[in-house]
Amino acid sequence: MFIGHFAVAYLLIVLFPAVPPLVILCGVSFPDLLWPVLVLTGMETVAVNPDSPLQNAIRFTSYPYSHSLVTGSLIAAVPGLFIAYFMSPAAGILFVAASASHWLLDVVTHLQDLPVLGFGKDMKAGLGLWNYPKAAFVLELAFYTVITVLAVQPALVVPLLALGFAFHLINANSFLGFSRKNPFTARSYAVLAIFGFLAFIGGLNWIFATG
Ligand SMILES: [Zn+2]
């Protein structure tokens, strides 16, 4: 999931106006900012199926640090403590809560591969919306649109929708399967993820800062 995570960010930004939007935008993205780094360093693994571009053909074979509820939240608490110390306790708490919201939303779309603890005899969560890729494409876009329209101040709605739609369209091949092959390897997929999130966060932060 990509743009859906940011719908939650917009809600939190509206509810907690004293916290800088950038903290919340980075918070909801934190697992997917950490994940590419861990994949590229070999600490987590992913298997991309070259014969399908669809999300449900990607096997997240191991991501106990970036994408577990418990361990992932403990790791998010490290930057959270810095943010709490240098900014405000509320900002630090919100960063960790935003990061946990990422896991909760990923549970809706991912196959049953999301670790709960991230260690020991673990349980895996995932409702598998990605098994219905066209529905997943429409529902994530609808979720993003409805929350943006209802929650965000009117002047920001159009730019946020435009940027969100653009990035959702960039991701469309992974839902709608225009290409028969997957153009990415595990490593290029990780690189794409980190640049995609950083570019989107940068664009959003600019909209919130200037709007
Ligand atoms: Zn994720």
Side-chain angles (χ1 to χ4, degrees):
M1 177 176 286
F2 189 88
I3 61 169
H5 293 299
F6 294 93
V8 177
Y10 303 162
L11 272 179
L12 295 173
I13 287 169
V14 171
L15 287 172
F16 301 94
V19 173
L22 187 59
V23 169
I24 295 168
L25 295 170
C26 290
V28 298
S29 314
F30 183 68
D32 278 351
L33 292 172
L34 187 60
W35 177 79
V37 177
L38 297 179
V39 167
L40 292 171
T41 55
M43 292 178 69
E44 294 191 341
T45 56
V46 63
V48 173
N49 181 347
D51 294 319
S52 168
L54 297 178
Q55 282 285 2
N56 68 356
I58 292 170
R59 290 288 171 262
F60 295 97
T61 40
S62 170
Y63 51 2
Y65 309 110
S66 68
H67 276 75
S68 65
L69 180 60
V70 174
T71 304
S73 297
L74 287 172
I75 295 170
V78 176
L81 280 171
F82 277 95
I83 294 166
Y85 182 77
F86 289 106
M87 250 174 219
S88 68
I93 292 166
L94 223 63
F95 180 87
V96 179
S99 174
S101 85
H102 182 109
W103 188 88
L104 288 172
L105 273 195
D106 270 2
V107 166
V108 178
T109 54
H110 281 233
L111 311 191
Q112 200 181 342
D113 59 18
L114 286 160
V116 176
L117 299 174
F119 55 85
K121 200 178 173 312
D122 210 349
M123 291 163 290
K124 301 273 177 80
L127 299 173
L129 181 60
W130 278 339
N131 283 325
Y132 309 92
K134 292 187 182 72
F137 181 82
V138 173
L139 285 173
E140 186 172 348
L141 189 62
F143 178 69
Y144 179 86
T145 304
V146 168
I147 292 196
T148 304
V149 170
L150 291 181
V152 177
Q153 61 188 92
L156 302 186
V157 167
V158 170
L160 291 178
L161 287 184
L163 197 64
F165 288 5
F167 272 73
H168 201 52
L169 280 179
I170 292 171
N171 280 333
N173 191 37
S174 68
F175 291 97
L176 306 176
F178 301 127
S179 73
R180 293 186 55 197
K181 299 276 182 187
N182 196 318
F184 298 106
T185 62
R187 290 182 74 83
S188 63
Y189 182 57
V191 171
L192 179 81
I194 197 158
F195 280 109
F197 270 93
L198 288 177
F200 198 57
I201 290 169
L204 296 179
N205 191 53
W206 184 78
I207 291 172
F208 278 104
T210 55

